[in-house]
Amino acid sequence: MTDLVAPSSVPGSFDWLVGIFKGHQKWREIDHKTQRLYEQGLALFADHELKDGTRAGSKQISQFSKGFVDAIYAKLLVVEDKDEEGNIVKRERRRFANAAMTACRRAWFVGQRAQEKLVPAINPFSRMGLKARSPNQPVRETPTATWDELVAFRAAAKKLGYSSVATAALVAWEWLQREEHVFGAFEIAHYRPKERRE
């Protein structure tokens, strides 16, 4: 139970569930970058306007079904924009929609453990079969920088007075570090030099 639930959220609603999640110890154990992504994903789902004009977040989770969640996911997957001529252009935001479903799934599991009597045991966000790319879309290789590009980047960073960024780029390159490990915890437990691969 938590006292951090927003006063406007109705007990048993999805908004309430998000409040339970964000007030739980499990939320505090998540790194800040992931918390920010979860917040964006939870808001994307909760703020989705339904056909009756209400927000998905205002609905009671006891009435959520897999079909309801799948229908909202399908709506979140595609966004409409206008091009320079004013024409409506549809584009897919699969990565963002998938991240939203992942955040909702985690919120449900944490909420179910914290409020077992109020949160249904069956999580409608589980086993959705989320795909990383659209059907028939070719696999896109992750672009990698060359050594010369790294050298040029480091020179430009130093020239602009960002020596620590230049150093971080070199550390990330040489030790295959993620940015959160370089700037946050600086973890190198996985690193093994060539002479000690085991």
Side-chain angles (χ1 to χ4, degrees):
M1 203 146 57
T2 178
D3 56 357
L4 298 177
V5 181
S8 59
S9 62
V10 177
S13 68
F14 184 79
D15 290 333
W16 168 85
L17 178 69
V18 170
I20 294 295
F21 179 34
K22 291 172 77 173
H24 197 275
Q25 174 63 32
K26 292 286 185 190
W27 176 264
R28 292 187 286 279
E29 292 171 1
I30 301 169
D31 65 83
H32 293 297
K33 186 177 179 181
T34 305
Q35 278 184 2
R36 194 167 60 247
L37 293 173
Y38 276 6
E39 283 178 337
Q40 291 170 349
L42 293 166
L44 182 68
F45 182 87
D47 292 336
H48 177 72
E49 188 175 323
L50 304 172
K51 287 180 182 176
D52 63 4
T54 61
R55 294 170 55 257
S58 70
K59 296 299 182 187
Q60 290 289 303
I61 57 173
S62 60
Q63 312 212 330
F64 276 31
S65 66
K66 293 175 184 176
F68 173 73
V69 168
D70 287 348
I72 293 181
Y73 172 69
K75 294 283 188 186
L76 297 178
L77 196 56
V78 177
V79 66
E80 293 184 352
D81 288 325
K82 285 189 177 179
D83 64 15
E84 294 171 359
E85 288 85 42
N87 301 316
I88 300 233
V89 179
K90 291 185 177 182
R91 66 177 174 83
E92 193 178 75
R93 55 177 176 183
R94 183 172 295 269
R95 191 171 174 190
F96 195 26
N98 285 357
M101 296 303 105
T102 300
C104 293
R105 182 178 65 223
R106 180 83 185 269
W108 194 287
F109 280 133
V110 171
Q112 210 284 320
R113 290 190 71 83
Q115 295 285 341
E116 198 172 351
K117 292 180 180 175
L118 296 174
V119 181
I122 296 174
N123 186 336
F125 296 96
S126 287
R127 301 183 181 191
M128 290 182 67
L130 302 175
K131 305 287 185 211
R133 61 184 184 276
S134 304
N136 304 321
Q137 183 183 18
V139 177
R140 190 180 68 180
E141 286 189 33
T142 303
T144 55
T146 64
W147 175 257
D148 291 338
E149 289 170 332
L150 173 67
V151 171
F153 174 83
R154 293 189 70 233
K158 287 179 187 175
K159 188 175 181 181
L160 293 170
Y162 297 113
S163 299
S164 60
V165 173
T167 301
L170 183 62
V171 168
W173 173 281
E174 292 289 354
W175 289 357
L176 302 175
Q177 291 291 298
R178 292 183 171 157
E179 63 182 79
E180 59 266 27
H181 293 154
V182 176
F183 291 106
F186 195 65
E187 296 175 4
I188 58 169
H190 74 282
Y191 176 71
R192 293 285 182 275
K194 289 179 183 175
E195 62 272 12
R196 196 165 60 88
R197 287 292 184 200
E198 298 173 6

